[in-house]
Amino acid sequence: MKKINLSIIIVNFNTLDLVIDCIESIKKYAKDIKFEIIVINNHPQNNDYEKLKKLYDREDGIRILKSENHGFGAANNIGAKEARGEFLLFLNSDTLIIDDSLQKLVRILNNNPKIGAVSPLLYNPGGKLQKYAFGDFQSLLSVTWRKRKKLNPNRNKKITYVNLISGAAMMIRKATFDRVGGFDERFFMYFEDDDLCRRLVNLGKKNAIVATTKIIHLQGKSSSMSNRKIMYYRSQNYYWRKHKGLFLELVMRTF
């Protein structure tokens, strides 16, 4: 069995075309690292699983799994348990690799043991930086203003340490991910990345973005559920209760 450096985990929920585009972009630009791709089809009612199996079943290093839909974090945990790589990359289906950024992220993480999780900069298709994809943890002030503080990465500095990075493209050592217990599956969708980043910081790790790396994120295309707003606030409430306590959760909910 060949050594795998990077296990790329993609959750599919009714985004077949996006998953295919994402996989093909990885194959095109990640040739210099030994990687595997694990796709978890999280929509048992459609036939995306069969279509993906038919398309990639004979390709070495690509595995298609299916799961009941127990949430985004739960599906990623399934992929992580199956992964054979030293590093894990949790990658949204609505992302595109456009250069050698994955190789750069592997080198950064490999050479910096203090880093818990690392992310590339995420850009819109038009080339605009998605500034809310990283930053600080939520506070009462940020919830009051309904807005996360924008942080501008220092382009002259390769690594910028931040509290929070997006789960849309998050790389982490498998040993570290296992140590913190993976994603909390009580978050069905949303805030599972915030929660993981906070637990990494509590562990003494630093999360980071890398200014020399770049991934296109179509943003929102990987989630087609109609009740996203309900799930967002439900996850936010649980996040505050878990990390701030019941009193501050109740205070937060008044804003």
Side-chain angles (χ1 to χ4, degrees):
M1 185 180 295
K2 69 178 182 179
K3 181 181 178 181
I4 302 294
N5 298 122
L6 179 65
S7 296
I8 303 169
I9 299 167
I10 304 170
V11 177
N12 174 48
F13 185 85
N14 206 30
T15 56
L16 178 65
D17 291 339
L18 293 176
V19 171
I20 293 171
D21 289 343
C22 183
I23 291 174
E24 295 302 317
S25 72
I26 296 168
K27 290 164 56 180
K28 182 177 181 180
Y29 289 106
K31 295 178 180 179
D32 295 335
I33 51 177
K34 296 185 175 78
F35 67 88
E36 64 176 354
I37 299 173
I38 303 172
V39 179
I40 299 92
N41 191 67
N42 216 23
H43 194 324
Q45 284 76 41
N46 69 14
N47 58 358
D48 284 4
Y49 172 77
E50 287 75 17
K51 290 178 179 178
L52 289 167
K53 284 284 285 185
K54 184 177 181 180
L55 195 58
Y56 293 111
D57 198 38
R58 296 189 179 184
E59 289 202 30
D60 187 35
I62 300 179
R63 285 183 281 164
I64 312 298
L65 310 177
K66 61 180 175 180
S67 171
E68 296 295 326
N69 188 11
H70 297 298
F72 182 73
N76 274 309
N77 283 343
I78 290 171
K81 288 176 184 176
E82 294 288 330
R84 295 181 287 131
E86 180 181 357
F87 304 101
L88 307 175
L89 174 64
F90 300 104
L91 192 62
N92 274 20
S93 62
D94 60 349
T95 56
L96 293 170
I97 310 303
I98 56 173
D99 58 19
D100 63 346
S101 288
L102 298 189
Q103 293 91 314
K104 291 177 181 177
L105 290 172
V106 168
R107 286 196 295 270
I108 290 288
L109 198 51
N110 191 49
N111 294 329
N112 293 271
K114 291 184 179 180
I115 292 180
V118 66
S119 170
L121 295 181
L122 303 181
Y123 287 83
N124 296 328
K128 186 177 180 181
L129 177 67
Q130 296 177 3
K131 293 183 180 179
Y132 294 119
F134 56 89
D136 295 323
F137 296 126
Q138 272 195 351
S139 65
L140 286 177
L141 183 62
S142 66
V143 172
T144 303
W145 287 97
R146 303 288 182 186
K147 188 178 289 187
R148 181 177 289 164
K149 180 183 177 183
K150 289 184 180 180
L151 295 179
N152 291 305
N154 186 344
R155 305 307 176 96
N156 298 317
K157 192 176 181 182
K158 182 185 291 186
I159 299 173
T160 300
Y161 293 108
V162 294
N163 284 327
L164 173 66
I165 60 176
S166 171
M170 176 188 286
M171 190 178 292
I172 185 172
R173 293 175 185 82
K174 188 177 190 302
T176 303
F177 186 76
D178 292 341
R179 183 180 174 188
V180 297
F183 287 110
D184 184 340
E185 298 183 8
R186 285 168 289 188
F187 296 98
F188 186 85
M189 192 168 77
Y190 300 119
F191 283 89
E192 65 284 313
D193 46 1
D194 299 54
D195 171 71
L196 182 67
C197 286
R198 185 175 281 277
R199 286 186 282 129
L200 288 170
V201 170
N202 291 343
L203 196 66
K205 297 290 186 179
K206 296 181 178 181
N207 302 313
I209 53 172
V210 180
T212 57
T213 60
K214 182 177 185 179
I215 285 179
I216 300 299
H217 182 210
L218 303 179
Q219 203 166 27
K221 301 294 185 181
S222 62
S223 176
S224 58
M225 290 183 156
S226 59
N227 57 343
R228 284 184 294 175
K229 193 171 184 179
I230 294 173
M231 288 187 291
Y232 177 89
Y233 288 116
R234 183 178 295 161
S235 292
Q236 184 184 52
N237 293 342
Y238 171 59
Y239 173 84
W240 274 75
R241 186 164 65 254
K242 178 177 180 179
H243 293 288
K244 304 283 190 177
L246 179 59
F247 176 74
L248 283 181
E249 179 210 342
L250 294 174
V251 174
M252 179 274 300
R253 291 172 69 170
T254 64
F255 294 114

